[in-house]
Amino acid sequence: MTTELLIAIIVTVVGASTPILIAALGELVVEKSGVLNLGVEGMMLIGAITAFVVTFTTGNHYLAILCAAGAGIAASMIFGFLTLSLSANQTATGLALTIFGTGFSALAGQGYSARPVTLLGPLFPGEMATHPIWRVLFGYSALVYFSLIMVVVVWFFLKKTRAGLILRAVGENDHSAHSIGYSVIGVRFAAVAFGGAMAGIAGACFPLLLTPQWAERMTAGRGWIAVALVVFASWKPFRLLAGAYLFGLVMTMELYSKAGGGPLAAIPAELWAAMPYLATIVVLVLISIRRDASSNAPACLGRPFLPSN
Amino acid sequence: MTDLINKPVTQEKPMTLNRRNLLKAGAVAAALPLLGSRAFAQTEPLKVGFVLVGTINDNGWNYAHNQARLYLEEQLGDAVETVYVENVPEGPDCERVLRELAQQGCKLIFATSFGFGDSVIKVAEQFPDITFEHATGYMRAANVGTYNARFHEGRAVCGTIAGHLSQTGKAGYIGSFPIPEVVMGINAFVLAARKVNPDFTITPVFISSWNDPAREADAARAMIDQGIDVIAQHTDGPAALQVAEERGIVGGFGQGADMSAFAPQAQLTSIIDNWGPHYVKTAQAVIDGTWESKDSWPGLAEGEVEIGPYGPKVTEEVAAAAEAVKQGQIDGSFNIFTGPINDHTGVERVAAGVTMTDEELLGMDWYVEGVNPPA
């Protein structure tokens, strides 16, 4: 394997992993507050079409990312209103949001399908990325760096800040948090909005980072992978980073081993394709061996909060 | 059903649907849903249903089927009324959609993806008075016909261009699933390319989806990173072509529709599916009562497969070579599947001078020489 090919593979892996990572980080914060939002795939699609339309009409990629985040928030507020204000079932509402997002994005995307846009270019000037090693470090668009920074930000917020502590308290024991004066519903609304923004930006990755077009359902199930990854990573941001890149790696390596031959075909494509499932089983086994921390799931996950007084 | 119908008093035995009975039923017929469509066949439009595996906005396969649906409406005007259902997964959902269309009064239903086959056969048994047509399929029944287009003729034209223009002599081919239709296209492409460049090889990559643009793009990257400079795809979107444009390789080919908007430099030409004439012919036959279950498989000669305009990288000389292959297939003097043809292990599968039959093509499950078979 040449250095050139290795670098090319790394670049492709980063591209495949980034949207999953961004969406999963948002969902991690939502679940930490005790809310399960299964609408990630739908919000991603709404983000994708929003980013596409804004890029197509204004040519401004950064404005497109902002608008995608806003559209994701708007979609998540529908979910928030139903589940938090009206205490509707979170699982069913989340599924409904995915169905709604799929349909809404298809409707909004009518007439945008035969239109190409341009990809978001690298963040750093081209001359920085001439040497292969620098290309691996500085050759990406802003979305990639955003995803990596957000891993640290989310970890820091949850672990090191007072606000993060309150959010975790709301997710672990909503009644206690309520009894000492915190607004459970308010905190959860904020978390759901953050999850919506992140899902919207994850959706923006599709037309801006991966394939510069609009196609219905172009997220093709990656929102569901993001939801599963949160459990896989047992609600820890750095494990989430590892998990997202593991998924990105196997998705990419499957294609490279099919397209290549030589050393890349040493591991059959089918085995690459099966690897996420094998890894999931291994992780679940490891979690169950460590009896102390159980799976780390927030105790109130998915439970509607109904104050008793 | 029949027990729900108020039978005319003149009827003692169960009603048979012949002209005399219809005349006898006269005014009552209007109240009979079962008969209404027959009794007023002259004025009632034929309701035609389309089941699509993807979206009509995919710029490819489903887009072409929808264009043909619009063409059908345009050509037959008030004689037909069409409905279509998009994004129908291959599986039990398809059965449900077919049933719904049947119950809505569609008398002719086109199922336009290979994986709908089993569902069509199953539902057709329950609705013997409805005509079904299954695209790219191989199973027929009294009221089920199959139709296809000889895309591989178009692939032979693309392969000729690839053989001339490729610098590395290596092409990549993004497929959805290894079904005969796709295998045929891969084989036709590489056979044509090897007539120009005997060392030409092609690597198919199957992505197990008809519509996952990000995965198509990644598959294209995976191939380009490993030395291919021409790409062809049998999926429904322009993702691979966009990557070809972005990476500046020799190029690729539009599939199903002209995709030059996505890759003005990289699209060498495109295979355009033109289903319109077949839909008009079939609907007319159903209206006239002359429809029969058969397999219809036209190609370049009938205009069901068209070659789009050549891209800027295609020189006059290469375009002439491509045109020659196209014309040869139109007038019947050239067939890409005429032997000698060896399979990828070097064993002769078709003897010199022998041309493969349609049955052999439709069951094609082996790769010709020059294909690096998927591991």
Side-chain angles (χ1 to χ4, degrees), chain A residues 5 8 12 16 110 113-116 119 210-213 215-218 220 222 251 254-256 258-260 264 270, chain B residues 55 57 59 87 203-207 211-215 217-219 221-223 225-226 238-239 242 246 261-262 375:
Chain A
L5 178 58
T12 309
Q110 295 283 355
S113 58
R115 314 286 177 80
L119 287 170
L210 298 171
T211 174
Q213 57 166 319
E216 279 175 37
R217 303 172 186 231
M218 71 191 298
R222 286 168 185 75
M251 280 159 64
E254 187 195 339
L255 294 169
Y256 273 83
K258 279 178 176 174
L264 283 184
E270 290 81 359
Chain B
T55 155
N57 297 318
N59 301 303
N87 294 317
T203 304
V205 167
F206 293 104
I207 64 162
N211 186 19
D212 184 346
R215 202 164 152 75
D218 280 350
R221 291 182 184 109
M223 294 174 173
D225 290 339
Q226 297 181 75
Q242 287 186 304
E246 176 198 338
F262 292 92

Side-chain angles (χ1 to χ4, degrees), chain A residues 124-149:
Chain A
F124 299 106
E127 51 270 21
M128 280 184 85
T130 45
H131 189 277
I133 302 297
W134 293 114
R135 218 179 98 202
V136 169
L137 295 174
F138 298 114
Y140 306 107
S141 75
L143 284 161
V144 171
Y145 299 108
F146 169 80
S147 72
L148 298 173
I149 291 167

Side-chain angles (χ1 to χ4, degrees), chain A residues 152-202:
Chain A
V152 181
V153 168
V154 166
W155 167 81
F156 185 84
F157 170 81
L158 288 174
K159 277 282 181 217
K160 307 282 177 191
T161 69
R162 187 177 165 75
L165 182 67
I166 295 167
L167 184 133
R168 283 188 290 139
V170 165
E172 293 298 343
N173 195 329
D174 44 14
H175 285 282
S176 303
H178 175 71
S179 66
I180 53 175
Y182 293 116
S183 166
V184 172
I185 299 297
V187 169
R188 287 185 177 173
F189 255 113
V192 166
F194 175 77
M198 292 294 271
I201 295 170

